Amino acid sequence: PLSPAGLREYDFAISDSLQIRLADRTVNVYQVRVRPKADDAPRVIGALYIERGDAQVVRMAFNFTRAAYKDKQLEDLAIVLENGLIDGRFWLPRRQEIEIRRAGSWLDYPARGIIRGRWEICCYQVNVGLDAALFRGPEIVSAPSRIVGAHPWTGAILDSLPDDVRAVTEDDVRQVQDEARALVRADALQRARSTALSARAVSDFVRVNRVEGLALGGGVTRRLGAGFSTSARARYGVDDRAVKGAVTLAWQRANGAEARLAVIRDHRDVGDEAETSLVRNSIASQEFGSDYTDPYDVRGVALSLRSPIALGAAWTLTLMRETQRRLEVHATPARGDYRGTVPAWAVVATRAALRGERPTRLGWLGAEVSGTVEVRGGTARARDTVLARTEPYFGRASAVVRAERPFGRQRFVVHAAGAAVRGVPSVPPQEFAYAGGPSTGPGYGYHAFVGRVAGHARLEWRTPIPFVAIPLGRFGRAPASATLAPFTQIVYLAGSAPASAHDNGVYPSVGLGALVFFDLLRVDVARGLREGRWTISVDVARELWRIL
């Protein structure tokens, strides 16, 4: 943008200024935002920080238009180049950072790969002579393979990274990404695609549970241009012989704003948090009759409006008009028996929900914090003869917070969640707060806590330990280390419902977890200390649940 040709191709605007006070003078710096006049051409988008005195570049933070990407699988590329004042007069590189995000183009999965690099430059010596001996001596070449093989690397792949490098987008890079999305229309930043397979997770293609048995499905998304898209997904249960799915019309902008109109006929789970991944749940359901879902039937129309990130979170307002009813068990497991389904009321519900989602970001005391909060309410007109004269209304609030704080190679993890509901004259069972199971209540039965108020909190300490290296054939070996995770957890219940297996009170548990195979597989052993039992849980890491 600062080249002679760039001055003709870009628009410029001074958006901010700052002063750097030195011992002998004050340096004035302008923040100049730049955007291309033609956003469909390969151009730079971002901000330049220029010293007013001699027009030197102090800092650059920028992204690129979609046309600049030769690799169409690139989703985002953000660069920060920061200079430091050396010897009182030279602005030379001090810190450089790049973040590359890639996503597959053939399937509409909520998964992507991220590559981040950071360079720190220091210890400049300005205008010093160079000894001619520096340019003499033997040629620098790679050592023979037999010598390199005699010094194998025994550490983990991330051991050489400093402790302050985290898998969290830093403020500088996030600001570049936000500015790029704000300065250029969505068409310039989003990949142009016509029709693609669509799925929210792998389990949208195949799953097993006690209501549907084996269920097969899939979906398709069609991008219409100007931010509009339409999608359809369907799933057929072999045992219940019913088709479930949704048809959605969506409009999106690059800054995160979104509107969706959907017609739905699907199953909704009563829990605020999943107890296991759907892949693990399908295997356990089929083989052992252990189904850790509590679905009820939902049919209706929903309108959702999503805002860009504001007040630290992305907010979604959803308005729904739907019918709800109880489901029946249709499947038979290979071993054991299925338990019954949740006794959901048959109602016609009008609901409104406001949900806020905070992405993982650095918070207080250097912790990585993420979470969600939701407030919803509505009326539920009963459809059966017993409740036909009532039209209860309800209000419900829930929250989930997760925080991690690294201490070298160790991490302290806090995970807490809770929900409270109030209804007049009573609360539909599908709106109660539920807890209990491998995630929300280890050492206790699945959804053994049901009431008007329920919550749980887990404190966990993760530390690496030596472990057997697992051979991976021609790909090498898995690290000879694992992560040990002792934890303690409590469950709180108030206003217990008739379906609850426990009375009001606090129910503690303790356990020991182990994460192996690149921390992708987790094994937990836990014991409930009050009316509890021993439980063992084997599952993939929670970070993978969304795509499984």
Side-chain angles (χ1 to χ4, degrees):
L2 296 181
S3 68
L7 296 177
R8 298 190 301 269
E9 299 292 337
Y10 288 87
D11 291 326
F12 300 84
I14 296 178
S15 60
D16 202 352
S17 63
L18 60 91
Q19 287 187 337
I20 303 174
R21 297 187 182 276
L22 305 177
D24 57 341
R25 60 193 171 101
T26 298
V27 177
N28 294 293
V29 177
Y30 286 148
Q31 180 188 20
V32 181
R33 292 194 176 189
V34 298
R35 67 177 179 183
K37 296 180 182 294
D39 55 25
D40 57 350
R43 297 288 186 269
V44 166
I45 315 160
L48 311 176
Y49 297 76
I50 301 174
E51 182 189 2
R52 189 179 67 179
D54 52 9
Q56 291 196 67
V57 176
V58 174
R59 191 171 184 270
M60 300 177 68
F62 56 92
N63 204 305
F64 300 91
T65 61
R66 175 55 50 192
Y69 297 147
K70 290 188 175 182
D71 184 351
K72 299 307 178 185
Q73 288 188 330
L74 283 177
E75 187 177 74
D76 202 16
L77 195 157
I79 296 176
V80 174
L81 305 176
E82 186 173 297
N83 295 335
L85 187 61
I86 306 300
D87 202 28
R89 54 187 177 133
F90 302 111
W91 290 97
L92 299 178
R94 186 183 67 86
R95 183 173 70 94
Q96 301 178 350
E97 188 165 347
I98 184 172
E99 178 170 299
I100 304 170
R101 295 174 181 255
R102 292 171 56 88
S105 59
W106 67 276
L107 189 60
D108 194 18
Y109 267 159
R112 56 182 51 88
I114 301 176
I115 302 171
R116 298 192 72 216
R118 191 187 72 181
W119 295 262
E120 301 281 350
I121 303 98
C122 73
C123 312
Y124 281 103
Q125 296 181 21
V126 180
N127 291 338
V128 296
L130 294 178
D131 189 346
L134 291 174
F135 303 98
R136 302 192 188 104
E139 180 183 4
I140 299 175
V141 297
S142 176
S145 58
R146 60 181 178 82
I147 297 179
V148 175
H151 302 278
W153 171 255
T154 59
I157 193 170
L158 300 180
D159 284 352
S160 60
L161 292 180
D163 295 338
D164 62 334
V165 176
R166 313 171 185 215
V168 182
T169 303
E170 295 184 1
D171 290 338
D172 290 338
V173 176
R174 185 172 65 249
Q175 182 179 358
V176 174
Q177 295 165 339
D178 293 342
E179 288 178 351
R181 289 171 173 82
L183 288 172
V184 179
R185 300 191 310 268
D187 288 347
L189 286 176
Q190 295 180 348
R191 289 190 306 275
R193 291 191 291 178
S194 53
T195 303
L197 287 174
S198 177
R200 297 167 300 179
V202 172
S203 295
D204 277 1
F205 294 114
V206 56
R207 69 177 66 176
V208 177
N209 57 55
R210 65 187 185 278
V211 174
E212 300 175 277
L214 174 65
L216 304 174
V220 122
T221 295
R222 174 74 178 180
R223 297 195 181 277
L224 307 175
F228 286 93
S229 65
T230 182
S231 62
R233 56 180 172 83
R235 186 177 72 255
Y236 178 76
V238 174
D239 287 322
D240 68 349
R241 300 181 181 180
V243 176
K244 284 73 65 177
V247 177
T248 304
L249 176 64
W251 175 74
Q252 297 172 293
R253 296 191 61 183
N255 64 359
E258 179 180 321
R260 288 180 176 268
L261 179 64
V263 179
I264 304 168
R265 194 281 196 216
D266 208 344
H267 296 169
R268 180 185 295 152
D269 201 86
V270 298
D272 293 293
E273 286 193 282
E275 296 295 333
T276 66
S277 67
L278 283 179
V279 168
R280 187 263 199 191
N281 190 75
S282 293
I283 297 173
S285 294
Q286 169 64 30
E287 298 300 322
F288 311 110
S290 178
D291 184 3
Y292 281 3
T293 63
D294 261 337
Y296 61 97
D297 187 71
V298 175
R299 309 182 188 191
V301 178
L303 173 64
S304 297
L305 304 174
R306 182 183 176 91
S307 74
I309 292 181
L311 302 177
W315 299 91
T316 303
L317 174 65
T318 305
L319 306 176
M320 296 156 283
R321 176 70 174 180
E322 59 193 29
T323 61
Q324 305 172 0
R325 67 179 181 89
R326 181 175 184 172
L327 295 167
E328 302 296 334
V329 175
H330 296 96
T332 302
R335 290 182 292 274
D337 296 301
Y338 286 125
R339 60 190 182 86
T341 56
V342 62
W345 285 358
V347 297
V348 177
T350 302
R351 310 196 317 165
L354 179 63
R355 181 181 180 88
E357 300 179 54
R358 185 188 193 276
T360 302
R361 291 184 176 176
L362 293 181
W364 190 52
L365 295 179
E368 303 163 8
V369 182
S370 64
T372 62
V373 62
E374 182 181 71
V375 178
R376 70 173 184 252
T379 63
R381 179 167 53 86
R383 298 171 58 198
D384 58 54
T385 56
V386 176
L387 301 171
R389 295 184 179 180
T390 66
E391 188 169 349
Y393 59 89
F394 70 93
R396 193 178 192 279
S398 62
V400 179
V401 177
R402 182 180 180 86
E404 297 188 22
R405 176 67 165 89
F407 295 90
R409 296 184 62 194
Q410 301 177 334
R411 297 179 78 87
F412 181 64
V413 182
V414 178
H415 185 96
V421 61
R422 174 72 184 273
V424 177
S426 56
V427 177
Q430 55 264 44
E431 298 294 344
F432 276 121
Y434 289 78
S439 293
T440 63
Y444 299 95
Y446 173 67
H447 283 182
F449 304 93
V450 184
R452 296 175 183 268
V453 179
H456 66 91
R458 174 182 293 203
L459 306 179
E460 180 174 292
W461 183 263
R462 297 183 180 179
T463 183
I465 59 172
F467 193 70
V468 177
I470 302 174
L472 301 176
R474 65 187 182 91
F475 299 103
R477 303 171 69 88
S481 66
T483 300
L484 198 65
F487 63 87
T488 181
Q489 187 156 341
I490 60 170
V491 178
Y492 174 76
L493 179 67
S496 62
S500 179
H502 298 281
D503 296 328
N504 297 340
V506 176
Y507 294 81
S509 61
V510 294
L512 181 65
L515 291 88
V516 298
F517 196 68
F518 298 101
D519 287 355
L520 297 179
L521 183 67
R522 176 162 182 151
V523 180
D524 281 349
V525 178
R527 169 71 179 179
L529 302 181
R530 179 186 174 190
E531 303 174 13
R533 62 187 185 186
W534 285 102
T535 60
I536 299 177
S537 174
V538 180
D539 207 338
V540 297
R542 193 180 187 93
E543 290 78 8
L544 298 178
W545 289 11
R546 287 187 61 193
I547 65 173
L548 295 180

